[in-house]
Structures are given as structure tokens and as C-alpha cells.
Amino acid sequence: MINIFHQDSQAFLEAQKVMYDLIYIDPPYNTRKTQRLGENSYDDSIADYKAFMLNHIFWAHKLLKPTGTMIVQCDWHEAHHIRTWMDTCFGSECFLNEIIWAYDYGARSKKKWSTKHDNIFIYVKDPNNYTFNYEAIERIPYMAPSLVGEEKAAKGKTLTDVWWHTIVPTNGKERVGYPTQKPLGIIRRFVEVHSNPGDRCLDFFAGSGTFGVACQEKGRHCDLVDSNPQAIAIMYNRMPSAIVYDNN
């Protein structure tokens, strides 16, 4: 079941009584720009970003089940701060991984090394009891298969904490017109490895709804929250069987 909530994310979290197995968010990156793609846009500039993020992380932590996991996707603008804020709310001992998603697309800087990656932080509520489905990890080819033997080469090796994956192609079938849409191939990995069929999942900065699509594919329940009516329309178009609650 997929539920879509047209609502302020903070208000949703404070009123919520349901507990979640997996929370994934792709929050505003605080680029201090308006992100646009065609007719769809949102303002990526928040006056007190620290208070904004700390409040959301605090409430998300409260809504996680004791065995739950939270994943936060960001980039260089605020990654160093977000890691600290996650430590504050969860405790540094609950840090599990930092995933680097590297891509190769867009303009190149002539004044510094071009920034072509996202930082993805994974925290668990209990470092001794959490979901991690090792067998669900996607396998990729060995770079030197002759060195590992035919059996290992045929099986491939598991992904590490650095992922090379294309962005959503501009003219690709996956593109839905939202300016910060993330690839389904990236989000699907989190759903498969960090949750189980029937689990309840949450994304309260849902945007284009990719997390919900991955949950729907893999048999998870998912609540998607966004205050942008353009995002709500896009999500419902992608998941027409979802139930939409308009609280704005």
C-alpha cells in the first residue's frame, strides 16, 4: 500500500503515531537556488537549515522502530553538517555507512575539482539489531575475473560503499519531470537491503516519489509526504493506485 500525503513534513511527523522500519529522505540540499525542470520547481533555500534538519531528524528517530534504519541523501553543501546532526540525534555508535554515489554528467568547473557525487548516510536505531539483507546486495563484474576463478567471476562481487550509477537520463523513460529526481536503481538497493517485504517505510521529502515506486515494486508499505503540489501530482501519476490525503 502506498499513501501520499500533501502536507508539511514537520506537521506530519509530529502528528504521526505509526512506527517505521525504514526511513529514507532526500531533503533540500540548501543550494540557495530555485531548482527547476520545465514547469516544475521548488525553492532550495532555508533560512535556518540547522534547526530545520535537526527537528526533522529528531522526529524521524522517534518514529523508527527499535530495529529501524534511516537513510539521508545529500551533497557537499551540507553533508558535513548533516553527519554531525545525525550523530547528535542517533549517537555516533549508530552510524552504519556513508555511501558515495558517483555520476559523470553535467558541466565541469574550471576553478576546482568538479563535484560529481552525493553523500548518503545510513544510521540504525540499534547497532546490534537492524535489517541488512546481504544476499540482496546487487553484484557487479570483477575487474580482473581471471584472478578469482570461474565460479566467483560468474557470481560477481558485491557492491561496496562507492557506487557508480548514471543520473536519470534527460530523455530517458524513467524521467518524470521533477528537478531532483533520483534513479530508481539507486533507491531500489536501499529498499531491498534495509527492509523486508511487508515492512512500513517513510519518505517525508518525497519529491518525485522514487522511493515509493521502489517500495511498491518490492512489496513494502510506504508513506510519502510532500508539501509541493507539483510533487503530489507527479507521484500520483507514477502510482495511480496510491491513496492521496490532502491536508494542505
Side-chain angles (χ1 to χ4, degrees), residues 33-123:
K33 299 177 181 178
T34 297
Q35 301 291 340
R36 298 183 185 278
L37 184 62
E39 297 180 352
N40 297 313
S41 66
Y42 75 90
D43 182 19
D44 190 14
S45 180
I46 297 171
D48 191 346
Y49 190 78
K50 178 180 180 180
F52 175 81
M53 286 302 300
L54 272 171
N55 284 337
H56 282 84
I57 295 168
F58 169 80
W59 282 101
H61 180 267
K62 290 190 68 172
L63 294 179
L64 270 182
K65 291 182 181 178
T67 56
T69 299
M70 183 170 181
I71 301 173
V72 183
Q73 186 156 346
C74 54
D75 74 357
W76 64 270
H77 288 90
E78 298 288 353
H80 52 304
H81 291 135
I82 288 175
R83 173 75 185 270
T84 301
W85 301 332
M86 290 293 289
D87 281 351
T88 298
C89 292
F90 279 76
S92 59
E93 71 279 4
C94 293
F95 170 75
L96 187 68
N97 271 117
E98 178 181 5
I99 303 294
I100 300 297
W101 167 38
Y103 44 86
D104 190 21
Y105 181 83
R108 296 290 197 274
S109 174
K110 295 182 178 180
K111 297 181 179 179
K112 64 175 184 177
W113 296 102
S114 298
T115 52
K116 298 295 176 185
H117 77 274
D118 274 15
N119 308 70
I120 304 170
F121 299 119
I122 304 176
Y123 280 74

Side-chain angles (χ1 to χ4, degrees), residues 161-182:
D161 58 359
V162 177
W163 299 353
W164 285 93
H165 193 293
T166 184
I167 64 167
V168 180
T170 303
N171 296 317
K173 293 182 179 179
E174 192 177 324
R175 175 69 71 177
V176 296
Y178 199 77
T180 56
Q181 181 185 352
K182 298 301 184 293

